[in-house]
Structures are given as structure tokens and as C-alpha cells.
Amino acid sequence: MCTVIVRTGEPLSLLGVRDEFADRPWEGPGEYWPEYPGVVGGRDLKAGGTWLAALPARARVAAVLNGYGLPADERTKISRGELPLRAVVAGGMPEAELPRYDPFHLVVADRSRARVWSWDGERLRTADLPEGTSVIVNSGRADDPKAVELLPLFAAAADWHDLVGAATVRHELPDGRVHASLSATLITIGARLEYDFSDLSSWNAVPLPRVDRGVSRDG
């Protein structure tokens, strides 16, 4: 996942846009992990984890983005896709052997607050997201051009459904592979957790229409 946008307050909103190689297999939201009962998320079929996990019973969401920094040793590396599953249950950064993970940003949000943990391969930093709207991207920098472009757009809008297209990307690489925004998930946490999901892999419309599938579960 390459972009997470969070607006604190009542309700809290979190939009997660996942950027990935188009040939990497995945499937849409479900409760796939018996060891994490009640957790909903899309599943990466290569590594088995997820980029965004929601726990409606706790009205909580966790999302992970790739970060920049020192990569983990290939011989002992663990997929970052397990982090949202563990974090959404724990309510924060779970106990972890951090050197076994490539750099990441882990966002965890519920009714009370939103926090981000950033691991660069050497040091873990933690910060509470401020009141209002925040844009988190792979660099982790608020002055990143993508964050600077998206922040005023999302901060000014009451409804984010029709803005999803602004946060998406598509790149055709010289080797013929495509790296693109494959899905978008919009979580709203108020009296209940609302989960809207859109499969963007067909790329039939830009800007994107209102998300085409949603589920709501009591919080």
C-alpha cells in the first residue's frame, strides 16, 4: 500500500490505496485468518498477509506501507503483511523482531486516536497523527510532493468517495510489467465501522466512480 489518508474526529476516516505489481495475486476482503477471528481484509496470495486489516468488533483499522531505509536480510526476512493483522488486534505496534522486516510505516486508528510507527531498518519512530487530515506516503515525509498535492484536496472534502482517483497511480515499466493502484479501501469509524472496498485492477475509469462494494458491520 502506498498511500494512507486519515482524518481524525467523529467519525474518523481512513483511505488506503494499495499500489502493487499487477501480476501479484490477491483477493478482495474477507475473514481469511482463523488465528485473527473477526479481522477483515484483502489477502495477498503470495505472502498470505494483508495491506489493511479492520476489526469491526473493536472499531479499529491498521494499514501498512512500504518505507525507505535499510532492507532486512533476505535469509531471515518476514513479510510486512502480518503486521496489520497483529496490530489491529493489539491496538498498536505488536512485539516484533524489527530487523527481520523491510522498512515500513504502520498506521493504527480507532475512535480515540490514530498513530503511525515508522521503521527504517535501524530505528523505530512513533507519532500520534494530528487533528484534521494527514497523508502518509512511502517516504514518510509530510513535504513529499504526493502528500503536498493530496492534503488540501482531501482536507477540503466532506466525502472522499469521489476523490479516490486522485490518489491512484499506474506505471508501465520497460519490461512490460505494470505497477498500479489495484484497490482502495475507505474505512469510516463512528457509531459503527463502515468498510467500503473498490477493486481498481481493471482501470476502467479515472477519476474513479464511487466505490463499488461496501460492507458495514456493527462496531
Side-chain angles (χ1 to χ4, degrees):
M1 179 174 292
C2 290
T3 308
V4 172
I5 305 172
V6 179
R7 177 164 57 209
T8 59
E10 184 68 29
L12 179 140
S13 298
L14 183 147
L15 173 67
V17 178
R18 183 191 186 219
D19 300 343
E20 185 53 87
F21 285 105
D23 59 358
R24 182 164 177 145
W26 62 283
E27 55 190 338
E31 297 182 28
Y32 299 111
W33 303 276
E35 64 272 39
Y36 301 106
V39 173
V40 179
R43 180 165 59 170
D44 173 49
L45 295 178
K46 182 176 180 179
T50 189
W51 51 95
L52 186 150
L55 184 55
R58 302 279 183 88
R60 185 183 298 147
V61 60
V64 69
L65 301 83
N66 297 349
Y68 296 165
L70 183 68
D73 189 322
E74 290 289 339
R75 296 169 296 180
T76 57
K77 183 162 61 176
I78 300 173
S79 170
R80 290 166 291 196
E82 70 167 19
L83 289 171
L85 298 171
R86 297 178 61 199
V88 80
V89 172
M93 180 70 204
E95 292 187 10
E97 296 180 65
L98 288 172
R100 299 186 68 186
Y101 294 94
D102 282 338
F104 64 80
H105 306 288
L106 178 67
V107 182
V108 181
D110 58 23
R111 290 190 183 102
S112 61
R113 66 179 178 178
R115 304 183 76 189
V116 58
W117 288 261
S118 296
W119 167 248
D120 64 4
E122 298 178 292
R123 184 166 59 169
L124 182 68
R125 299 178 177 86
T126 307
D128 287 317
L129 294 181
E131 293 185 9
T133 303
S134 299
V135 179
I136 302 100
V137 294
N138 298 120
S139 69
R141 296 178 53 175
D143 62 353
D144 185 287
K146 186 174 184 180
V148 171
E149 177 185 358
L150 293 178
L151 181 59
L153 183 66
F154 281 83
D159 186 342
W160 288 356
H161 287 85
D162 295 328
L163 294 179
V164 171
T168 60
V169 298
R170 178 183 173 87
H171 302 294
E172 296 187 14
L173 305 181
D175 63 3
R177 299 180 74 191
V178 174
H179 187 267
S181 301
L182 300 184
S183 68
T185 306
L186 178 59
I187 303 290
T188 305
I189 301 176
R192 62 180 183 177
L193 186 148
E194 298 181 4
Y195 189 121
D196 291 326
F197 176 80
S198 188
D199 181 346
L200 311 179
S201 57
S202 63
W203 278 82
N204 290 326
V206 177
L208 296 169
R210 185 173 283 267
V211 288
D212 53 24
R213 176 183 166 199
V215 294
S216 299
R217 301 165 187 264
D218 291 340

PDB file of all heavy atoms in Angstrom, residues 45-80:
ATOM      1  N   LEU A  45      -1.973 -13.189  -1.929  1.00  0.00           N
ATOM      2  CA  LEU A  45      -1.857 -14.632  -2.098  1.00  0.00           C
ATOM      3  C   LEU A  45      -0.415 -15.115  -2.218  1.00  0.00           C
ATOM      4  O   LEU A  45      -0.160 -16.312  -2.171  1.00  0.00           O
ATOM      5  CB  LEU A  45      -2.655 -15.073  -3.324  1.00  0.00           C
ATOM      6  CG  LEU A  45      -4.164 -14.870  -3.205  1.00  0.00           C
ATOM      7  CD1 LEU A  45      -4.866 -15.278  -4.485  1.00  0.00           C
ATOM      8  CD2 LEU A  45      -4.732 -15.633  -2.016  1.00  0.00           C
ATOM      9  N   LYS A  46       0.528 -14.213  -2.362  1.00  0.00           N
ATOM     10  CA  LYS A  46       1.929 -14.608  -2.418  1.00  0.00           C
ATOM     11  C   LYS A  46       2.498 -14.823  -1.023  1.00  0.00           C
ATOM     12  O   LYS A  46       3.167 -15.833  -0.762  1.00  0.00           O
ATOM     13  CB  LYS A  46       2.746 -13.558  -3.166  1.00  0.00           C
ATOM     14  CG  LYS A  46       4.218 -13.922  -3.312  1.00  0.00           C
ATOM     15  CD  LYS A  46       4.964 -12.890  -4.140  1.00  0.00           C
ATOM     16  CE  LYS A  46       6.440 -13.272  -4.278  1.00  0.00           C
ATOM     17  NZ  LYS A  46       7.189 -12.278  -5.114  1.00  0.00           N
ATOM     18  N   ALA A  47       2.244 -13.877  -0.108  1.00  0.00           N
ATOM     19  CA  ALA A  47       2.810 -13.964   1.240  1.00  0.00           C
ATOM     20  C   ALA A  47       1.781 -14.300   2.307  1.00  0.00           C
ATOM     21  O   ALA A  47       2.142 -14.628   3.434  1.00  0.00           O
ATOM     22  CB  ALA A  47       3.514 -12.653   1.599  1.00  0.00           C
ATOM     23  N   GLY A  48       0.482 -14.178   1.979  1.00  0.00           N
ATOM     24  CA  GLY A  48      -0.560 -14.597   2.900  1.00  0.00           C
ATOM     25  C   GLY A  48      -1.090 -13.543   3.843  1.00  0.00           C
ATOM     26  O   GLY A  48      -2.058 -13.786   4.561  1.00  0.00           O
ATOM     27  N   GLY A  49      -0.461 -12.375   3.868  1.00  0.00           N
ATOM     28  CA  GLY A  49      -0.899 -11.325   4.781  1.00  0.00           C
ATOM     29  C   GLY A  49      -1.843 -10.336   4.115  1.00  0.00           C
ATOM     30  O   GLY A  49      -2.521 -10.658   3.138  1.00  0.00           O
ATOM     31  N   THR A  50      -1.862  -9.121   4.644  1.00  0.00           N
ATOM     32  CA  THR A  50      -2.750  -8.095   4.112  1.00  0.00           C
ATOM     33  C   THR A  50      -2.064  -6.737   4.193  1.00  0.00           C
ATOM     34  O   THR A  50      -1.085  -6.557   4.922  1.00  0.00           O
ATOM     35  CB  THR A  50      -4.087  -8.051   4.872  1.00  0.00           C
ATOM     36  OG1 THR A  50      -5.004  -7.176   4.190  1.00  0.00           O
ATOM     37  CG2 THR A  50      -3.909  -7.564   6.306  1.00  0.00           C
ATOM     38  N   TRP A  51      -2.592  -5.802   3.437  1.00  0.00           N
ATOM     39  CA  TRP A  51      -2.097  -4.428   3.477  1.00  0.00           C
ATOM     40  C   TRP A  51      -2.954  -3.561   4.383  1.00  0.00           C
ATOM     41  O   TRP A  51      -2.513  -2.523   4.849  1.00  0.00           O
ATOM     42  CB  TRP A  51      -2.065  -3.846   2.060  1.00  0.00           C
ATOM     43  CG  TRP A  51      -3.368  -4.023   1.321  1.00  0.00           C
ATOM     44  CD1 TRP A  51      -4.390  -3.105   1.224  1.00  0.00           C
ATOM     45  CD2 TRP A  51      -3.806  -5.182   0.599  1.00  0.00           C
ATOM     46  NE1 TRP A  51      -5.428  -3.628   0.485  1.00  0.00           N
ATOM     47  CE2 TRP A  51      -5.099  -4.903   0.084  1.00  0.00           C
ATOM     48  CE3 TRP A  51      -3.233  -6.431   0.331  1.00  0.00           C
ATOM     49  CZ2 TRP A  51      -5.818  -5.825  -0.680  1.00  0.00           C
ATOM     50  CZ3 TRP A  51      -3.959  -7.343  -0.421  1.00  0.00           C
ATOM     51  CH2 TRP A  51      -5.224  -7.040  -0.924  1.00  0.00           C
ATOM     52  N   LEU A  52      -4.179  -4.005   4.665  1.00  0.00           N
ATOM     53  CA  LEU A  52      -5.082  -3.250   5.532  1.00  0.00           C
ATOM     54  C   LEU A  52      -6.017  -4.224   6.218  1.00  0.00           C
ATOM     55  O   LEU A  52      -6.643  -5.059   5.552  1.00  0.00           O
ATOM     56  CB  LEU A  52      -5.865  -2.219   4.721  1.00  0.00           C
ATOM     57  CG  LEU A  52      -6.765  -1.254   5.506  1.00  0.00           C
ATOM     58  CD1 LEU A  52      -6.870   0.091   4.773  1.00  0.00           C
ATOM     59  CD2 LEU A  52      -8.170  -1.821   5.695  1.00  0.00           C
ATOM     60  N   ALA A  53      -6.108  -4.133   7.533  1.00  0.00           N
ATOM     61  CA  ALA A  53      -6.961  -5.017   8.319  1.00  0.00           C
ATOM     62  C   ALA A  53      -7.920  -4.196   9.164  1.00  0.00           C
ATOM     63  O   ALA A  53      -7.515  -3.208   9.779  1.00  0.00           O
ATOM     64  CB  ALA A  53      -6.109  -5.911   9.219  1.00  0.00           C
ATOM     65  N   ALA A  54      -9.168  -4.616   9.191  1.00  0.00           N
ATOM     66  CA  ALA A  54     -10.176  -3.965  10.028  1.00  0.00           C
ATOM     67  C   ALA A  54     -10.718  -4.972  11.025  1.00  0.00           C
ATOM     68  O   ALA A  54     -10.885  -6.158  10.703  1.00  0.00           O
ATOM     69  CB  ALA A  54     -11.312  -3.416   9.177  1.00  0.00           C
ATOM     70  N   LEU A  55     -10.983  -4.499  12.230  1.00  0.00           N
ATOM     71  CA  LEU A  55     -11.591  -5.326  13.276  1.00  0.00           C
ATOM     72  C   LEU A  55     -12.870  -4.622  13.712  1.00  0.00           C
ATOM     73  O   LEU A  55     -12.852  -3.787  14.634  1.00  0.00           O
ATOM     74  CB  LEU A  55     -10.622  -5.514  14.445  1.00  0.00           C
ATOM     75  CG  LEU A  55     -11.080  -6.432  15.581  1.00  0.00           C
ATOM     76  CD1 LEU A  55     -11.470  -7.811  15.068  1.00  0.00           C
ATOM     77  CD2 LEU A  55      -9.998  -6.542  16.644  1.00  0.00           C
ATOM     78  N   PRO A  56     -13.993  -4.904  13.029  1.00  0.00           N
ATOM     79  CA  PRO A  56     -15.230  -4.172  13.325  1.00  0.00           C
ATOM     80  C   PRO A  56     -15.668  -4.242  14.777  1.00  0.00           C
ATOM     81  O   PRO A  56     -16.201  -3.264  15.308  1.00  0.00           O
ATOM     82  CB  PRO A  56     -16.247  -4.850  12.390  1.00  0.00           C
ATOM     83  CG  PRO A  56     -15.414  -5.347  11.249  1.00  0.00           C
ATOM     84  CD  PRO A  56     -14.136  -5.799  11.877  1.00  0.00           C
ATOM     85  N   ALA A  57     -15.442  -5.367  15.441  1.00  0.00           N
ATOM     86  CA  ALA A  57     -15.878  -5.511  16.825  1.00  0.00           C
ATOM     87  C   ALA A  57     -15.181  -4.528  17.754  1.00  0.00           C
ATOM     88  O   ALA A  57     -15.721  -4.163  18.802  1.00  0.00           O
ATOM     89  CB  ALA A  57     -15.641  -6.942  17.307  1.00  0.00           C
ATOM     90  N   ARG A  58     -13.983  -4.086  17.385  1.00  0.00           N
ATOM     91  CA  ARG A  58     -13.243  -3.105  18.175  1.00  0.00           C
ATOM     92  C   ARG A  58     -13.247  -1.726  17.514  1.00  0.00           C
ATOM     93  O   ARG A  58     -12.614  -0.804  18.046  1.00  0.00           O
ATOM     94  CB  ARG A  58     -11.793  -3.569  18.362  1.00  0.00           C
ATOM     95  CG  ARG A  58     -11.642  -4.927  19.036  1.00  0.00           C
ATOM     96  CD  ARG A  58     -11.757  -4.837  20.536  1.00  0.00           C
ATOM     97  NE  ARG A  58     -11.543  -6.142  21.152  1.00  0.00           N
ATOM     98  CZ  ARG A  58     -10.353  -6.618  21.506  1.00  0.00           C
ATOM     99  NH1 ARG A  58      -9.264  -5.897  21.288  1.00  0.00           N
ATOM    100  NH2 ARG A  58     -10.231  -7.807  22.053  1.00  0.00           N
ATOM    101  N   ALA A  59     -13.919  -1.612  16.372  1.00  0.00           N
ATOM    102  CA  ALA A  59     -13.932  -0.351  15.615  1.00  0.00           C
ATOM    103  C   ALA A  59     -12.507   0.165  15.406  1.00  0.00           C
ATOM    104  O   ALA A  59     -12.171   1.297  15.742  1.00  0.00           O
ATOM    105  CB  ALA A  59     -14.796   0.700  16.310  1.00  0.00           C
ATOM    106  N   ARG A  60     -11.674  -0.696  14.814  1.00  0.00           N
ATOM    107  CA  ARG A  60     -10.255  -0.389  14.685  1.00  0.00           C
ATOM    108  C   ARG A  60      -9.758  -0.828  13.305  1.00  0.00           C
ATOM    109  O   ARG A  60     -10.269  -1.796  12.731  1.00  0.00           O
ATOM    110  CB  ARG A  60      -9.472  -1.116  15.779  1.00  0.00           C
ATOM    111  CG  ARG A  60      -7.986  -0.789  15.826  1.00  0.00           C
ATOM    112  CD  ARG A  60      -7.312  -1.635  16.900  1.00  0.00           C
ATOM    113  NE  ARG A  60      -7.841  -1.348  18.230  1.00  0.00           N
ATOM    114  CZ  ARG A  60      -7.947  -2.244  19.204  1.00  0.00           C
ATOM    115  NH1 ARG A  60      -7.603  -3.496  18.989  1.00  0.00           N
ATOM    116  NH2 ARG A  60      -8.412  -1.891  20.387  1.00  0.00           N
ATOM    117  N   VAL A  61      -8.763  -0.108  12.794  1.00  0.00           N
ATOM    118  CA  VAL A  61      -8.179  -0.423  11.495  1.00  0.00           C
ATOM    119  C   VAL A  61      -6.662  -0.267  11.580  1.00  0.00           C
ATOM    120  O   VAL A  61      -6.150   0.564  12.341  1.00  0.00           O
ATOM    121  CB  VAL A  61      -8.767   0.487  10.391  1.00  0.00           C
ATOM    122  CG1 VAL A  61      -8.498   1.951  10.670  1.00  0.00           C
ATOM    123  CG2 VAL A  61      -8.253   0.097   9.011  1.00  0.00           C
ATOM    124  N   ALA A  62      -5.948  -1.092  10.819  1.00  0.00           N
ATOM    125  CA  ALA A  62      -4.491  -0.995  10.736  1.00  0.00           C
ATOM    126  C   ALA A  62      -4.069  -1.168   9.291  1.00  0.00           C
ATOM    127  O   ALA A  62      -4.620  -2.016   8.572  1.00  0.00           O
ATOM    128  CB  ALA A  62      -3.823  -2.056  11.611  1.00  0.00           C
ATOM    129  N   ALA A  63      -3.101  -0.375   8.847  1.00  0.00           N
ATOM    130  CA  ALA A  63      -2.622  -0.438   7.470  1.00  0.00           C
ATOM    131  C   ALA A  63      -1.111  -0.301   7.464  1.00  0.00           C
ATOM    132  O   ALA A  63      -0.531   0.402   8.292  1.00  0.00           O
ATOM    133  CB  ALA A  63      -3.253   0.667   6.629  1.00  0.00           C
ATOM    134  N   VAL A  64      -0.457  -0.956   6.494  1.00  0.00           N
ATOM    135  CA  VAL A  64       0.992  -0.896   6.383  1.00  0.00           C
ATOM    136  C   VAL A  64       1.383  -0.385   5.008  1.00  0.00           C
ATOM    137  O   VAL A  64       0.734  -0.697   4.004  1.00  0.00           O
ATOM    138  CB  VAL A  64       1.632  -2.279   6.655  1.00  0.00           C
ATOM    139  CG1 VAL A  64       1.317  -3.288   5.561  1.00  0.00           C
ATOM    140  CG2 VAL A  64       3.134  -2.156   6.862  1.00  0.00           C
ATOM    141  N   LEU A  65       2.416   0.452   4.973  1.00  0.00           N
ATOM    142  CA  LEU A  65       3.010   0.942   3.746  1.00  0.00           C
ATOM    143  C   LEU A  65       4.478   0.557   3.738  1.00  0.00           C
ATOM    144  O   LEU A  65       5.125   0.519   4.791  1.00  0.00           O
ATOM    145  CB  LEU A  65       2.937   2.473   3.641  1.00  0.00           C
ATOM    146  CG  LEU A  65       1.610   3.196   3.658  1.00  0.00           C
ATOM    147  CD1 LEU A  65       1.127   3.404   5.082  1.00  0.00           C
ATOM    148  CD2 LEU A  65       1.762   4.551   2.963  1.00  0.00           C
ATOM    149  N   ASN A  66       5.026   0.317   2.557  1.00  0.00           N
ATOM    150  CA  ASN A  66       6.465   0.152   2.436  1.00  0.00           C
ATOM    151  C   ASN A  66       7.149   1.463   2.795  1.00  0.00           C
ATOM    152  O   ASN A  66       6.651   2.544   2.481  1.00  0.00           O
ATOM    153  CB  ASN A  66       6.850  -0.244   1.016  1.00  0.00           C
ATOM    154  CG  ASN A  66       6.279  -1.586   0.612  1.00  0.00           C
ATOM    155  OD1 ASN A  66       5.756  -2.325   1.426  1.00  0.00           O
ATOM    156  ND2 ASN A  66       6.385  -1.890  -0.673  1.00  0.00           N
ATOM    157  N   GLY A  67       8.301   1.371   3.448  1.00  0.00           N
ATOM    158  CA  GLY A  67       9.071   2.553   3.798  1.00  0.00           C
ATOM    159  C   GLY A  67      10.413   2.562   3.089  1.00  0.00           C
ATOM    160  O   GLY A  67      10.723   1.686   2.270  1.00  0.00           O
ATOM    161  N   TYR A  68      11.225   3.548   3.406  1.00  0.00           N
ATOM    162  CA  TYR A  68      12.567   3.676   2.856  1.00  0.00           C
ATOM    163  C   TYR A  68      13.586   3.386   3.953  1.00  0.00           C
ATOM    164  O   TYR A  68      13.362   3.715   5.119  1.00  0.00           O
ATOM    165  CB  TYR A  68      12.809   5.091   2.330  1.00  0.00           C
ATOM    166  CG  TYR A  68      11.945   5.511   1.164  1.00  0.00           C
ATOM    167  CD1 TYR A  68      11.854   6.853   0.822  1.00  0.00           C
ATOM    168  CD2 TYR A  68      11.235   4.582   0.406  1.00  0.00           C
ATOM    169  CE1 TYR A  68      11.071   7.267  -0.253  1.00  0.00           C
ATOM    170  CE2 TYR A  68      10.451   4.983  -0.664  1.00  0.00           C
ATOM    171  CZ  TYR A  68      10.369   6.325  -0.990  1.00  0.00           C
ATOM    172  OH  TYR A  68       9.592   6.725  -2.050  1.00  0.00           O
ATOM    173  N   GLY A  69      14.706   2.799   3.564  1.00  0.00           N
ATOM    174  CA  GLY A  69      15.761   2.565   4.544  1.00  0.00           C
ATOM    175  C   GLY A  69      16.525   1.291   4.262  1.00  0.00           C
ATOM    176  O   GLY A  69      16.617   0.835   3.117  1.00  0.00           O
ATOM    177  N   LEU A  70      17.046   0.701   5.333  1.00  0.00           N
ATOM    178  CA  LEU A  70      17.899  -0.484   5.241  1.00  0.00           C
ATOM    179  C   LEU A  70      17.041  -1.744   5.144  1.00  0.00           C
ATOM    180  O   LEU A  70      16.261  -2.036   6.047  1.00  0.00           O
ATOM    181  CB  LEU A  70      18.787  -0.564   6.480  1.00  0.00           C
ATOM    182  CG  LEU A  70      19.796  -1.705   6.544  1.00  0.00           C
ATOM    183  CD1 LEU A  70      20.876  -1.511   5.486  1.00  0.00           C
ATOM    184  CD2 LEU A  70      20.403  -1.768   7.942  1.00  0.00           C
ATOM    185  N   PRO A  71      17.158  -2.504   4.050  1.00  0.00           N
ATOM    186  CA  PRO A  71      16.328  -3.704   3.926  1.00  0.00           C
ATOM    187  C   PRO A  71      16.774  -4.803   4.884  1.00  0.00           C
ATOM    188  O   PRO A  71      17.915  -4.831   5.349  1.00  0.00           O
ATOM    189  CB  PRO A  71      16.537  -4.122   2.467  1.00  0.00           C
ATOM    190  CG  PRO A  71      17.858  -3.555   2.089  1.00  0.00           C
ATOM    191  CD  PRO A  71      17.999  -2.275   2.864  1.00  0.00           C
ATOM    192  N   ALA A  72      15.843  -5.704   5.152  1.00  0.00           N
ATOM    193  CA  ALA A  72      16.147  -6.848   6.020  1.00  0.00           C
ATOM    194  C   ALA A  72      16.984  -7.876   5.277  1.00  0.00           C
ATOM    195  O   ALA A  72      17.002  -7.927   4.041  1.00  0.00           O
ATOM    196  CB  ALA A  72      14.849  -7.477   6.507  1.00  0.00           C
ATOM    197  N   ASP A  73      17.668  -8.711   6.046  1.00  0.00           N
ATOM    198  CA  ASP A  73      18.436  -9.812   5.483  1.00  0.00           C
ATOM    199  C   ASP A  73      17.474 -10.792   4.800  1.00  0.00           C
ATOM    200  O   ASP A  73      16.513 -11.269   5.424  1.00  0.00           O
ATOM    201  CB  ASP A  73      19.195 -10.529   6.606  1.00  0.00           C
ATOM    202  CG  ASP A  73      20.188 -11.562   6.098  1.00  0.00           C
ATOM    203  OD1 ASP A  73      19.890 -12.255   5.114  1.00  0.00           O
ATOM    204  OD2 ASP A  73      21.265 -11.680   6.708  1.00  0.00           O
ATOM    205  N   GLU A  74      17.711 -11.109   3.540  1.00  0.00           N
ATOM    206  CA  GLU A  74      16.827 -11.996   2.789  1.00  0.00           C
ATOM    207  C   GLU A  74      16.702 -13.368   3.439  1.00  0.00           C
ATOM    208  O   GLU A  74      15.688 -14.053   3.277  1.00  0.00           O
ATOM    209  CB  GLU A  74      17.331 -12.145   1.351  1.00  0.00           C
ATOM    210  CG  GLU A  74      17.170 -10.900   0.495  1.00  0.00           C
ATOM    211  CD  GLU A  74      15.716 -10.628   0.154  1.00  0.00           C
ATOM    212  OE1 GLU A  74      14.907 -11.571   0.216  1.00  0.00           O
ATOM    213  OE2 GLU A  74      15.400  -9.463  -0.175  1.00  0.00           O
ATOM    214  N   ARG A  75      17.695 -13.782   4.167  1.00  0.00           N
ATOM    215  CA  ARG A  75      17.683 -15.122   4.757  1.00  0.00           C
ATOM    216  C   ARG A  75      16.719 -15.237   5.930  1.00  0.00           C
ATOM    217  O   ARG A  75      16.265 -16.347   6.262  1.00  0.00           O
ATOM    218  CB  ARG A  75      19.090 -15.506   5.204  1.00  0.00           C
ATOM    219  CG  ARG A  75      20.101 -15.619   4.066  1.00  0.00           C
ATOM    220  CD  ARG A  75      21.507 -15.738   4.593  1.00  0.00           C
ATOM    221  NE  ARG A  75      21.905 -14.525   5.331  1.00  0.00           N
ATOM    222  CZ  ARG A  75      23.082 -14.372   5.898  1.00  0.00           C
ATOM    223  NH1 ARG A  75      23.986 -15.348   5.847  1.00  0.00           N
ATOM    224  NH2 ARG A  75      23.384 -13.252   6.540  1.00  0.00           N
ATOM    225  N   THR A  76      16.393 -14.120   6.578  1.00  0.00           N
ATOM    226  CA  THR A  76      15.544 -14.167   7.773  1.00  0.00           C
ATOM    227  C   THR A  76      14.327 -13.247   7.675  1.00  0.00           C
ATOM    228  O   THR A  76      13.588 -13.092   8.644  1.00  0.00           O
ATOM    229  CB  THR A  76      16.361 -13.763   9.019  1.00  0.00           C
ATOM    230  OG1 THR A  76      16.922 -12.458   8.823  1.00  0.00           O
ATOM    231  CG2 THR A  76      17.480 -14.770   9.260  1.00  0.00           C
ATOM    232  N   LYS A  77      14.106 -12.669   6.515  1.00  0.00           N
ATOM    233  CA  LYS A  77      13.050 -11.659   6.360  1.00  0.00           C
ATOM    234  C   LYS A  77      11.654 -12.243   6.547  1.00  0.00           C
ATOM    235  O   LYS A  77      11.368 -13.367   6.132  1.00  0.00           O
ATOM    236  CB  LYS A  77      13.165 -11.006   4.984  1.00  0.00           C
ATOM    237  CG  LYS A  77      12.171  -9.902   4.747  1.00  0.00           C
ATOM    238  CD  LYS A  77      12.575  -9.005   3.595  1.00  0.00           C
ATOM    239  CE  LYS A  77      12.678  -9.723   2.284  1.00  0.00           C
ATOM    240  NZ  LYS A  77      12.983  -8.787   1.179  1.00  0.00           N
ATOM    241  N   ILE A  78      10.780 -11.436   7.192  1.00  0.00           N
ATOM    242  CA  ILE A  78       9.373 -11.776   7.391  1.00  0.00           C
ATOM    243  C   ILE A  78       8.529 -10.786   6.592  1.00  0.00           C
ATOM    244  O   ILE A  78       8.850  -9.602   6.507  1.00  0.00           O
ATOM    245  CB  ILE A  78       8.985 -11.687   8.885  1.00  0.00           C
ATOM    246  CG1 ILE A  78       9.838 -12.645   9.716  1.00  0.00           C
ATOM    247  CG2 ILE A  78       7.504 -11.992   9.086  1.00  0.00           C
ATOM    248  CD1 ILE A  78       9.625 -12.467  11.210  1.00  0.00           C
ATOM    249  N   SER A  79       7.429 -11.252   6.034  1.00  0.00           N
ATOM    250  CA  SER A  79       6.539 -10.370   5.278  1.00  0.00           C
ATOM    251  C   SER A  79       5.925  -9.304   6.182  1.00  0.00           C
ATOM    252  O   SER A  79       5.459  -9.593   7.285  1.00  0.00           O
ATOM    253  CB  SER A  79       5.421 -11.181   4.629  1.00  0.00           C
ATOM    254  OG  SER A  79       4.427 -10.326   4.085  1.00  0.00           O
ATOM    255  N   ARG A  80       5.892  -8.080   5.698  1.00  0.00           N
ATOM    256  CA  ARG A  80       5.242  -6.990   6.428  1.00  0.00           C
ATOM    257  C   ARG A  80       3.730  -7.158   6.477  1.00  0.00           C
ATOM    258  O   ARG A  80       3.044  -6.488   7.249  1.00  0.00           O
ATOM    259  CB  ARG A  80       5.613  -5.651   5.777  1.00  0.00           C
ATOM    260  CG  ARG A  80       7.050  -5.247   5.981  1.00  0.00           C
ATOM    261  CD  ARG A  80       7.490  -4.128   5.075  1.00  0.00           C
ATOM    262  NE  ARG A  80       7.576  -4.555   3.674  1.00  0.00           N
ATOM    263  CZ  ARG A  80       8.211  -3.898   2.722  1.00  0.00           C
ATOM    264  NH1 ARG A  80       8.842  -2.764   3.004  1.00  0.00           N
ATOM    265  NH2 ARG A  80       8.244  -4.335   1.480  1.00  0.00           N
TER     266      ARG A  80
END
